């Protein structure tokens, strides 16, 4: 069985929902994971923000506007008045529940319930449409099988047990529809897998049922070799190793959530990135296979801050790095890129919430310099150290752009370069021209 996930844009309107239905109704049983309709989660976040600010009137106004938007959907989605009425009842039930939450004391628990409504709406409406068209579809509530522990980590054995039991109850079904993103926590409360978590849901579901394949359907034809918003004439990458895809996702490729990779990788399940608007396109296949000697793609991560700690005492000083990284750990601030020398260490972070406290603590061990408004450029491919020449191609492409840091060796699939944010577009364009143009390809081929 395959697992197919469709993002918010793919189910963002009645015509798009019908397109998705045509894609999934091919006679083969499958589990379909749906995100909320595009724009819905952002609106639910806005409603929660009003409630946090103790402004229920503002929250109610936004909720009523969203309700009216949803009530326009049944007229364009369903053929019969019977199913239009069922859809209206579903929408009213969800929004009535939302309004009741606005009359209660507001906390993080209520916020999680509010944020779950988008997926509950999209899956309910899609399941009704499939049933109206005669498809034997079953709604599998994610809140009945998807659970995280007290560390907000999924519980694979629980997911497998509960999901298997639900599937066994409906052996006659052609399609199983479930929600992405939402789950229950260790206290059995409604929770979620964070933004972008529908990808994670699909991967966890795929791992739980030992799926033949996991498909992530979005609005672009696979992962491109650079960011098409900044680089002209980018191309889809047809094949990626899981490690390459994870690096690209973490360092800025928005098509795939970084957490999606691990469950599929551990269970050796291929992941395909496909385009709902161009379903015949080959897209990108992610697996445990590596294409040797190829640079695949470039991604960029913005809003980076660099911190350099310089200390004359570092020479031969045991424990210096441990003390430095303990400070970041104490403030729960992840580090992206690291470069060291005999007299200092430079690191980058993308979360500056505790920057002042971190800098104050680091000053116990040396002189601290902070640089803001930086971007990490990540070059990904088969970059093992014995593949001679790839380093020079990458650095030469950026010969006219100042490099604040270079990090290589922590991974066989990634070289990270730190540049000023103002140089980002020029850096991406230069790398694309030098690494992916026809002339660059011919040059590389001739060398081998």
């Amino acid at each position: 069985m395959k697992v197919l996930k469709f993002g918010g844009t793919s189910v963002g309107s009645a015509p798009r929902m019908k397109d998705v239905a045509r894609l999934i109704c091919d006679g083969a049983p499958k589990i379909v994971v749906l995100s909320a309709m595009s724009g819905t989660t952002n609106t639910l976040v806005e409603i929660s923000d009003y409630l946090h600010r103790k402004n229920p009137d503002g929250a109610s106004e936004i909720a009523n506007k969203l309700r009216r938007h949803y009530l326009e959907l049944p007229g364009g989605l369903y053929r019969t008045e019977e199913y239009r009425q069922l859809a209206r009842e579903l929408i009213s039930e969800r929004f009535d529940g939302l309004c009741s939450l606005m009359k209660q004391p507001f906390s993080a628990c209520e916020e999680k319930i509010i944020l779950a409504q988008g997926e509950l709406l999209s899956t309910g409406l899609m399941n009704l449409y499939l049933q109206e068209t005669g498809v034997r579809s079953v709604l599998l509530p994610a809140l009945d099988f998807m659970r995280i522990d007290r560390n907000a980590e999924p519980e694979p054995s629980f997911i497998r047990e509960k999901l298997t039991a639900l599937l066994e109850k409906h052996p006659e079904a052609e399609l199983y529809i479930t929600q992405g993103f939402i789950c229950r926590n260790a206290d059995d409360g409604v929770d979620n897998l964070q933004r972008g978590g529908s990808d994670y849901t699909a991967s966890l579901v795929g791992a739980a049922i030992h799926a033949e394949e996991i498909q992530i359907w979005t609005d672009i034809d696979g992962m491109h070799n650079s960011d098409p918003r900044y680089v002209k004439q980018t191309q889809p990458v047809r094949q990626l190793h899981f490690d390459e895809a994870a690096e690209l996702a973490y360092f800025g490729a928005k098509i795939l959530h970084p957490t999606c990779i691990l469950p599929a990788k551990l269970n050796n399940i291929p992941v395909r990135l496909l385009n709902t608007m161009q379903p015949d396109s080959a897209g990108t296949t992610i697996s445990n296979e590596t294409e040797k000697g190829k640079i695949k793609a470039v991604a960029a991560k913005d809003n980076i801050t660099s911190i350099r700690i310089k200390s004359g005492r570092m020479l031969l000083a045991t424990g210096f790095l441990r003390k430095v990284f303990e400070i970041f750990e104490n403030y729960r601030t992840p580090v992206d890129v690291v470069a060291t020398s005999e007299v200092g260490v430079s690191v980058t972070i993308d979360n500056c919430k505790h920057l002042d406290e971190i800098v104050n603590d680091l000053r116990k061990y040396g002189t601290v310099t902070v640089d803001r408004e930086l971007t990490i450029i990540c070059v990904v491919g088969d970059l093992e150290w014995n593949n001679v020449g790839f380093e020079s191609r990458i650095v030469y492409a950026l010969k006219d752009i100042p490099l604040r840091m270079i990090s290589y060796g922590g991974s066989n699939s990634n070289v990270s370069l730190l540049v000023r944010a103002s140089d980002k577009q020029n850096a991406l364009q230069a790398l694309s021209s030098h690494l992916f143009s026809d002339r660059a390809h011919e040059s590389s081929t001739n060398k081998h």
Side-chain angles (χ1 to χ4, degrees):
M1 190 184 297
K2 295 181 180 180
V3 176
L4 281 63
K5 175 261 177 179
F6 292 87
T9 305
S10 298
V11 293
S13 65
R16 291 280 174 84
M17 284 192 170
K18 292 177 181 180
D19 289 341
V20 168
R22 281 191 287 270
L23 284 171
I24 62 180
C25 294
D26 59 3
K30 56 182 69 68
I31 297 177
V32 179
V33 178
L34 299 183
S35 298
M37 292 177 65
S38 56
T40 298
T41 302
N42 287 339
T43 304
L44 295 172
V45 169
E46 187 179 359
I47 291 169
S48 298
D49 187 56
Y50 274 107
L51 293 174
H52 271 302
R53 299 173 189 276
K54 302 186 186 306
N55 183 355
D57 292 339
S60 181
E61 183 179 344
I62 299 299
N64 286 334
K65 183 178 178 181
L66 187 61
R67 184 201 291 255
R68 289 193 297 271
H69 172 71
Y70 269 90
L71 285 173
E72 293 173 358
L73 190 70
L77 184 57
Y78 305 101
R79 295 192 310 269
T80 64
E81 183 56 32
E82 176 190 358
Y83 276 88
R84 288 174 189 157
Q85 184 58 32
L86 288 171
R88 293 187 196 106
E89 291 172 3
L90 167 66
I91 293 166
S92 294
E93 180 184 351
R94 287 286 151 214
F95 279 94
D96 288 347
L98 190 59
C99 289
S100 69
L101 287 172
M102 298 179 191
K103 300 172 184 176
Q104 302 175 16
F106 191 72
S107 69
C109 295
E110 283 72 32
E111 181 179 17
K112 298 289 178 60
I113 296 171
I114 288 173
L115 295 184
Q117 300 309 305
E119 281 72 18
L120 293 170
L121 281 162
S122 64
T123 51
L125 293 168
M126 174 62 82
N127 191 54
L128 283 175
Y129 176 75
L130 292 169
Q131 290 178 350
E132 185 188 41
T133 57
V135 177
R136 295 194 305 276
S137 69
V138 172
L139 195 60
L140 300 180
L143 298 178
D144 287 354
F145 67 84
M146 187 63 62
R147 190 170 77 176
I148 54 176
D149 60 22
R150 296 199 181 278
N151 296 316
E153 294 294 332
E155 298 187 44
S157 58
F158 179 93
I159 296 167
R160 184 179 302 109
E161 177 189 346
K162 297 299 184 181
L163 180 56
T164 300
L166 286 172
L167 292 172
E168 288 174 351
K169 285 183 179 179
H170 304 282
E172 79 292 345
E174 298 174 59
L175 295 174
Y176 302 92
I177 310 298
T178 193
Q179 300 87 19
F181 177 59
I182 67 175
C183 62
R184 290 199 182 273
N185 55 35
D187 297 319
D188 206 37
V190 176
D191 214 310
N192 60 65
L193 300 171
Q194 306 299 314
R195 298 300 292 268
S198 292
D199 292 351
Y200 203 6
T201 299
S203 191
L204 290 166
V205 168
I209 67 165
H210 303 289
E212 171 191 347
E213 182 177 88
I214 299 166
Q215 297 179 0
I216 308 293
W217 289 80
T218 65
D219 55 355
I220 59 175
D221 53 339
M223 193 173 286
H224 280 227
N225 57 13
S226 194
D227 192 330
R229 295 173 298 177
Y230 301 99
V231 177
K232 297 178 180 178
Q233 297 178 330
T234 62
Q235 298 293 324
V237 181
R238 295 306 178 200
Q239 194 276 333
L240 286 168
H241 188 277
F242 280 117
D243 292 343
E244 296 168 343
E247 299 278 11
L248 289 169
Y250 182 77
F251 283 105
K254 302 299 184 186
I255 187 175
L256 185 67
H257 197 262
T259 51
C260 173
I261 300 299
L262 188 59
K265 177 185 177 181
L266 293 177
N267 290 274
N268 198 29
I269 302 170
V271 176
R272 293 183 66 201
L273 309 180
L274 298 163
N275 186 353
T276 313
M277 275 52 107
Q278 299 176 23
D280 295 330
S281 174
T284 300
T285 299
I286 305 168
S287 68
N288 278 314
E289 297 181 7
T290 300
E291 286 187 292
K292 294 293 185 182
K294 284 190 176 182
I295 295 177
K296 294 295 190 65
V298 178
K301 187 175 185 180
D302 296 322
N303 302 314
I304 300 299
T305 296
S306 167
I307 304 171
R308 178 169 58 188
I309 308 99
K310 183 178 178 182
S311 174
R313 295 176 293 163
M314 184 180 175
L315 185 65
L316 302 179
T318 302
F320 178 84
L321 289 177
R322 174 181 56 79
K323 293 173 183 176
V324 167
F325 285 106
E326 278 181 349
I327 291 171
F328 291 94
E329 181 181 355
N330 290 340
Y331 292 103
R332 301 181 65 85
T333 301
V335 169
D336 287 323
V337 177
V338 180
T340 65
S341 74
E342 281 296 340
V343 296
V345 57
S346 290
V347 303
T348 68
I349 61 174
D350 63 2
N351 181 356
C352 292
K353 181 178 180 180
H354 298 290
L355 178 62
D356 292 340
E357 297 99 313
I358 290 170
V359 169
N360 286 335
D361 286 359
L362 288 172
R363 283 177 175 151
K364 299 173 186 175
Y365 305 111
T367 304
V368 180
T369 304
V370 176
D371 292 324
R372 297 175 180 266
E373 297 184 12
L374 301 170
T375 293
I376 296 173
I377 306 290
C378 168
V379 182
V380 163
D382 177 30
L383 305 178
E384 292 191 19
W385 66 274
N386 56 353
N387 292 340
V388 178
F390 70 83
E391 307 98 325
S392 61
R393 291 172 61 200
I394 293 168
V395 174
Y396 181 78
L398 301 177
K399 60 184 174 58
D400 297 321
I401 295 173
L403 300 180
R404 172 66 179 79
M405 284 172 61
I406 301 176
S407 178
Y408 167 63
S411 162
N412 286 333
S413 55
N414 172 26
V415 175
S416 295
L417 309 107
L418 190 63
V419 303
R420 292 179 302 217
S422 57
D423 289 325
K424 169 185 170 178
Q425 184 161 357
N426 288 339
L428 290 174
Q429 188 63 61
L431 286 165
S432 183
S433 299
H434 197 73
L435 300 178
F436 305 130
S437 68
D438 291 339
R439 187 168 61 182
H441 176 74
E442 289 171 5
S443 173
S444 174
T445 302
N446 290 338
K447 285 179 183 178
H448 295 287

